Amino acid sequence: MNVNTTFEKVKINSFDSIPVEQDSPIIYVLRPYNKLNLSILARIQPNPIYLVVLFNAATTCNRSTEPTFMRWSWAEKADLSYIIIDDPIVSSSESTNIAWYIGLNEFDLQGYICNLINNILIKTNLNPCNVIFSGSSGGGFASLMASIRLKGSNAVVNNPQTDVLKYSRRLRAQFIDIFGEDETIIKKCYY
C-alpha cells in the first residue's frame, strides 16, 4: 500500500512547479501550510485525454508517517495520466488513519487541491469534464468534495464515508480534537 521508495522524490515550493509530463511516476512534496507536507504521486502523459485524481481510503494501523499512494499500480497498468494525493493529516500523525482530506481549521486543503488541479488543467489544455476523481471510504468523500468544487468534473466513488461523525467513536473524537470544534460546528461546515 505505501509508496514504492524507488520513485524519484522532488521537493517543490509551489504546485506551479509540477511539470505536466512525466516519463515515470514522480513524488512531488510541497509545504502548503506551516509544517504540513503535501505529497502527490504524478504521472501525466503528453497530451492527456483524461486526468484521474485518486484519493486514499483509511490506511492500515501498522503504518509509518510516510505518504501513502493507494492504487498507483492500477493507474500504471491502465496507462492513465494520474495524480494520487496523500492526506497530509494522516501522514503527519501516527494516531489517525483517516482524515477525509479536510485539512485544518486554518488551512483549506480541498481548496488547495482544487487550485492544484486547475493549474494542471490549464497547462494541459484539459477541460474539467475530462477529470475523474476517485476513491473509496474517506477517499470517496474527498472525491465527492473535489468534484463539487471543480464544476463539470466526474467522481467515481466506492463506499464513501460521507458522515464523519458516524464513522467510529475513536476517529470522531480525533477529528473533533484536530479541529477543536464541537459536533454542531462540524455538521455546519462539513455536511
Side-chain angles (χ1 to χ4, degrees):
M1 177 187 315
N2 282 350
V3 67
N4 179 339
T5 56
T6 61
F7 292 144
E8 179 183 357
K9 194 177 212 179
V10 178
K11 289 186 180 184
I12 56 177
N13 294 324
S14 165
F15 56 71
D16 293 332
S17 302
I18 298 173
V20 292
E21 289 183 22
Q22 295 88 13
D23 293 329
S24 60
I26 297 175
I27 301 169
Y28 295 98
V29 181
L30 303 111
R31 186 166 286 198
Y33 180 79
N34 286 338
K35 296 180 182 177
L36 196 65
N37 286 331
L38 178 65
S39 298
I40 68 167
L41 179 65
R43 181 163 181 242
I44 304 170
Q45 300 171 350
N47 304 310
I49 297 172
Y50 293 98
L51 177 66
V52 178
V53 181
L54 298 163
F55 293 97
N56 296 331
T59 60
T60 59
C61 295
N62 60 348
R63 63 174 191 79
S64 69
T65 55
E66 287 295 310
T68 299
F69 302 104
M70 295 180 180
R71 298 176 188 87
W72 69 267
S73 62
W74 296 2
E76 279 294 305
K77 283 182 184 175
D79 201 29
L80 300 170
S81 288
Y82 64 88
I83 67 169
I84 305 172
I85 303 172
D86 176 57
D87 191 325
I89 301 301
V90 173
S91 60
S92 67
S93 167
E94 291 186 25
S95 64
T96 188
N97 66 347
I98 187 171
W100 296 271
Y101 290 84
I102 291 175
L104 302 167
N105 260 342
E106 54 280 350
F107 177 66
D108 179 12
L109 179 60
Q110 281 287 331
Y112 188 85
I113 289 169
C114 190
N115 290 336
L116 183 150
I117 301 303
N118 271 322
N119 182 271
I120 291 172
L121 293 181
I122 290 166
K123 289 179 178 179
T124 58
N125 291 321
L126 276 177
N127 191 298
C129 68
N130 295 81
V131 176
I132 303 165
F133 293 102
S134 185
S136 61
S137 186
F141 173 81
S143 297
L144 292 171
M145 295 300 290
S147 185
I148 288 167
R149 285 191 180 217
L150 185 62
K151 302 293 182 213
S153 64
N154 304 280
V156 177
V157 299
N158 177 29
N159 189 32
Q161 300 299 323
T162 57
D163 189 340
V164 177
L165 300 174
K166 290 183 179 177
Y167 185 67
S168 83
R169 288 185 191 269
R170 181 182 64 82
L171 289 173
R172 180 178 66 210
Q174 285 179 352
F175 185 81
I176 291 170
D177 186 49
I178 288 170
F179 284 88
E181 298 177 346
D182 66 27
E183 291 184 14
T184 308
I185 295 171
I186 290 171
K187 286 179 181 180
K188 179 182 173 190
C189 295
Y190 303 113
Y191 269 43

